[in-house]
Amino acid sequence: MANLNSEIEKRRTFAIISHPDAGKTTLTEKLLLFGGAIHVAGAVKSNKIKKTATSDWMEIEKQRGISVATSVMGFNYGDYKINILDTPGHQDFAEDTFRTLTAVDSVIIVVDVAKGVEQQTRRLMEVCRMRHTPVIIFVNKLDREGRDPFDILDELESELQIKVRPLSWPINIGLHFKGVYNIFEGGLDLFTPDKQKVTERVEINDINDPVIDETIGDRDAAKLREDIELIEGVYPEFNVDDYLAGKVAPVFFGSALNTFGVKELLDCFVQIAPSPRPIHALEREVKPEEEKFTGFVFKIHANMDPNHRSCIAFVKICSGVFQRNAPYKHVRHGKILKFAAPTAFMAQKKDIVDEAYPGDIVGIPDSGNFKIGDTLTEGEELHFKGLPSFSPEMFKYIENTDPMKTKQLNKGIEQLMDEGVAQMFTNQFNGRKIIGTVGQLQFEVIQYRLLHEYGAQCRWEPISLYKACWIESDDKEALEAFKKRKHQFMAIDKEGRDVFLADSGYVLQMAQADFPKIRFHFTSEF
Ligand code: G4P
């Protein structure tokens, strides 16, 4: 067995996040090219679901298949083992992305230079901020006309609420884009618009080197020096510890499509990005270098074949060494399980692995044992935190339309909820089941999958709800009084916790004012 510490030190597990179309897929693909994991551009076709009409079922099914293959992309780069965790591009699957963010040690954010910070990036950044996840920002599409880079930096700071520090700087943009000055490594990287060729590097001594004038011309050289002087004056020197603490985000400029600035990004990333970090469990902090294996399920992917209702549970290794066929405890069930066919994800291929280390993800074939958040250990009672459900944004009653298939429907709903497709609440007043999602698309996916995988039929009925909030109080009587007063709007979630269904923002505000002893939570973990 390899040395645990050095295996941990080698690993970089991260996610690339962006608003759709900023260039996440393209950047992922180029990183894989550098890692030798793929050999041709165009091999990664994940996330295209975002571009299809919501009712294009074949497309959704195809996507589900593809996204298993690209869920985790592992490759070696120099001495490093890199794991990229894919996140769905479509905003209706934002919750999937939130959960994936719990399994990464850092994040790269891609921003389109013309569009700046967009809505989804803002939301995802909130999650990173909550978790103090270190982020690096890649400003993409410099080959196209876009905004002034100083404006972009200001916008990143104000919109993402994080300090930024440019580590590369563009020389013009769009048609006149000539390349970047690499502040991190020193050096001039010249741009040649070519999808296959990588950056040409010009060695220079420092920013005053006359080679710069010879290479990019006097005017651009003067402008560059002015910009760099301004940067050095305005932004404090880059401090890795601040980056690791999630306080400052280094910024790179480039063009993913032209493979420009990508290697520089990757080289800096492997140097400064964190290897697996300690993870908080309810009981204690778990350090990756601990000898005993621990891990948790952050994603469940249903099998494509409706005849085999099996899933793949994605387990993030948190500590120790995971071994094939070793007995591990499924903490929620209190059962000992052995896994004969765990898969690792290297270079987009799934292979059975004998062992895996902290930071790695293994896929475990499963037939309904797991749900999101489940913990595996060598016997310890451990519950990892940080996999909250968020209050959904859309709600509908789910109704059975084929009474002969009630059992199938209930089983289907239960499994889809365990997979984290959506959340279910049972109204305590009328006993009806409410499904809550973050987007319309999920209702369609659920209906389709219930029919195709479980042979059950359902229809949706409208319910006008603003938010579902988890409630608690130290004062039992106050809690009971609240539940009594609001009995028509009380529900329980799948774990049996009390949930208040507020039908408007006003009602929620009034409830908060009238019942000061009640705490209202908008995520299921508090
Ligand atoms: P996403 O995963 O973040 O949604 O974005 P994706 O990589 O799919 O990129 C969105 C579009 O932007 C793609 O064009 C892609 O080719 C283009 N793109 C990515 N990086 C750059 C860049 O550096 N410069 C320029 N000019 N374009 C870039 P598309 O036409 O929508 O898709 P495709 O048909 O090219 O795949």
Side-chain angles (χ1 to χ4, degrees):
M1 196 191 303
N3 177 298
L4 179 58
N5 280 326
S6 71
E7 289 298 323
I8 294 170
E9 190 41 46
K10 268 166 89 165
R11 276 167 171 74
R12 300 286 182 274
T13 301
F14 74 107
I16 305 178
I17 56 178
S18 74
H19 192 85
D21 274 347
K24 179 166 73 79
T25 312
T26 313
L27 181 65
T28 306
E29 185 173 286
K30 297 306 164 84
L31 293 173
L32 292 174
L33 274 170
F34 280 115
I38 54 170
H39 300 288
V40 283
V44 182
K45 279 276 178 278
S46 67
N47 288 312
K48 291 300 176 196
I49 194 167
K50 62 182 190 262
K51 288 179 183 159
T52 62
T54 50
S55 52
D56 190 344
W57 300 121
M58 280 323 290
E59 199 50 39
I60 288 174
E61 283 295 277
K62 248 186 354 216
Q63 281 303 322
R64 291 209 296 128
I66 292 162
S67 65
V68 171
T70 60
S71 278
V72 183
M73 290 161 278
F75 62 91
N76 292 312
Y77 182 70
D79 292 335
Y80 298 95
K81 162 83 195 292
I82 297 184
N83 295 312
I84 306 181
L85 273 50
D86 194 21
T87 53
H90 198 292
Q91 63 171 6
D92 286 7
F93 295 106
E95 184 121 355
D96 263 9
T97 304
F98 295 151
R99 283 190 295 254
T100 299
L101 292 180
T102 65
V104 302
D105 298 300
S106 70
V107 153
I108 292 180
I109 296 179
V110 185
V111 173
D112 182 326
V113 70
K115 295 191 179 142
V117 175
E118 294 170 272
Q119 181 216 358
Q120 204 163 325
T121 319
R122 218 171 295 140
R123 285 179 60 186
L124 294 170
M125 181 64 202
E126 273 170 38
V127 181
C128 296
R129 235 187 355 258
M130 229 164 68
R131 305 178 54 80
H132 308 290
T133 310
V135 301
I136 297 182
I137 299 170
F138 183 73
V139 180
N140 190 28
K141 306 196 187 181
L142 268 284
D143 60 315
R144 283 216 199 138
E145 296 307 323
R147 310 241 304 267
D148 178 76
F150 281 112
D151 283 354
I152 290 279
L153 291 181
D154 286 348
E155 184 173 305
L156 290 170
E157 280 203 343
S158 63
E159 295 281 332
L160 300 181
Q161 294 175 40
I162 187 166
K163 295 244 167 295
V164 296
R165 178 43 159 118
L167 290 187
S168 78
W169 194 251
I171 301 155
N172 303 327
I173 78 170
L175 271 181
H176 304 289
F177 181 52
K178 288 190 178 164
V180 299
Y181 173 68
N182 191 326
I183 302 173
F184 183 66
E185 292 178 329
L188 206 56
D189 298 324
L190 295 185
F191 176 65
T192 20
D194 179 341
K195 290 176 196 165
Q196 302 301 330
K197 209 169 125 194
V198 293
T199 313
E200 184 188 334
R201 165 64 60 96
V202 178
E203 297 302 334
I204 51 172
N205 292 322
D206 58 35
I207 187 75
N208 294 315
D209 198 321
V211 174
I212 299 180
D213 305 65
E214 286 158 28
T215 325
I216 60 172
D218 295 346
R219 238 182 77 213
D220 287 336
K223 170 82 169 60
L224 175 65
R225 289 193 184 104
E226 212 176 276
D227 285 355
I228 297 295
E229 195 180 325
L230 192 59
I231 289 168
E232 302 299 341
V234 171
Y235 299 98
E237 204 170 316
F238 175 60
N239 178 322
V240 178
D241 291 332
D242 286 347
Y243 155 70
L244 291 173
K247 290 184 188 150
V248 63
V251 181
F252 285 84
F253 292 85
S255 166
L257 188 65
N258 291 288
T259 325
F260 183 82
V262 177
K263 185 165 186 299
E264 293 67 29
L265 172 74
L266 182 58
D267 286 338
C268 174
F269 170 80
V270 291
Q271 271 186 57
I272 67 170
S275 51
R277 311 206 286 179
I279 298 180
H280 290 281
L282 211 56
E283 294 79 2
R284 65 185 185 87
E285 188 181 75
V286 178
K287 297 196 179 65
E289 60 274 16
E290 288 174 19
E291 226 170 83
K292 289 197 170 153
F293 158 75
T294 63
F296 68 86
V297 176
F298 68 94
K299 176 176 176 137
I300 291 178
H301 212 296
N303 198 316
M304 292 289 295
D305 181 353
N307 298 320
H308 299 90
R309 214 179 285 140
S310 69
C311 307
I312 298 179
F314 289 78
V315 177
K316 155 101 186 238
I317 318 290
C318 300
S319 69
V321 184
F322 170 91
Q323 285 176 311
R324 187 159 78 94
N325 278 326
Y328 293 130
K329 182 171 179 177
H330 183 309
V331 173
R332 184 171 53 90
H333 284 333
K335 274 198 298 201
I336 300 294
L337 301 174
K338 286 182 181 179
F339 307 108
T343 50
F345 303 85
M346 281 296 281
Q348 292 193 287
K349 281 205 311 279
K350 277 188 351 191
D351 282 320
I352 293 201
V353 276
D354 290 321
E355 54 188 37
Y357 295 90
D360 285 342
I361 313 297
V362 290
I364 294 180
D366 174 48
S367 50
N369 274 316
F370 287 113
K371 65 183 198 177
I372 286 179
D374 277 349
T375 304
L376 289 173
T377 68
E378 291 193 21
E380 187 179 353
E381 280 289 316
L382 210 57
H383 301 84
F384 284 104
K385 295 198 295 182
L387 283 156
S389 301
F390 294 80
S391 177
E393 281 159 29
M394 300 176 95
F395 301 87
K396 285 183 184 175
Y397 281 124
I398 185 165
E399 295 298 335
N400 188 0
T401 50
D402 182 354
M404 303 295 288
K405 297 282 170 65
T406 306
K407 240 174 85 185
Q408 285 86 335
L409 183 75
N410 288 340
K411 184 160 172 59
I413 295 176
E414 187 172 332
Q415 288 199 353
L416 293 182
M417 298 308 123
D418 281 353
E419 253 183 60
V421 175
Q423 292 176 63
M424 187 182 75
F425 306 98
T426 310
N427 188 320
Q428 293 305 88
F429 179 63
N430 56 20
R432 292 173 79 181
K433 290 190 172 99
I434 298 166
I435 303 291
T437 70
V438 288
Q440 176 61 28
L441 185 54
Q442 271 143 311
F443 291 113
E444 300 177 29
V445 170
I446 291 169
Q447 196 168 26
Y448 177 83
R449 288 189 56 190
L450 284 172
L451 182 63
H452 286 256
E453 293 170 35
Y454 300 88
Q457 294 192 38
C458 71
R459 79 184 137 80
W460 303 107
E461 280 196 12
I463 172 172
S464 160
L465 282 182
Y466 166 69
K467 260 198 165 55
C469 23
W470 286 264
I471 57 162
E472 56 160 7
S473 175
D474 299 328
D475 185 335
K476 246 186 153 172
E477 270 173 37
L479 191 63
E480 284 315 311
F482 180 84
K483 283 162 66 173
K484 206 163 157 204
R485 175 92 160 268
K486 298 283 182 191
H487 69 286
Q488 290 189 22
F489 300 97
M490 289 308 301
I492 51 170
D493 72 3
K494 268 204 77 205
E495 322 304 323
R497 288 174 297 203
D498 289 322
V499 175
F500 169 54
L501 307 167
D503 51 3
S504 74
Y506 176 72
V507 164
L508 179 59
Q509 255 179 14
M510 290 304 287
Q512 284 170 315
D514 291 347
F515 295 87
K517 287 185 175 159
I518 306 286
R519 289 188 293 276
F520 297 79
H521 302 282
F522 301 100
T523 64
S524 65
E525 198 171 81
F526 30 84

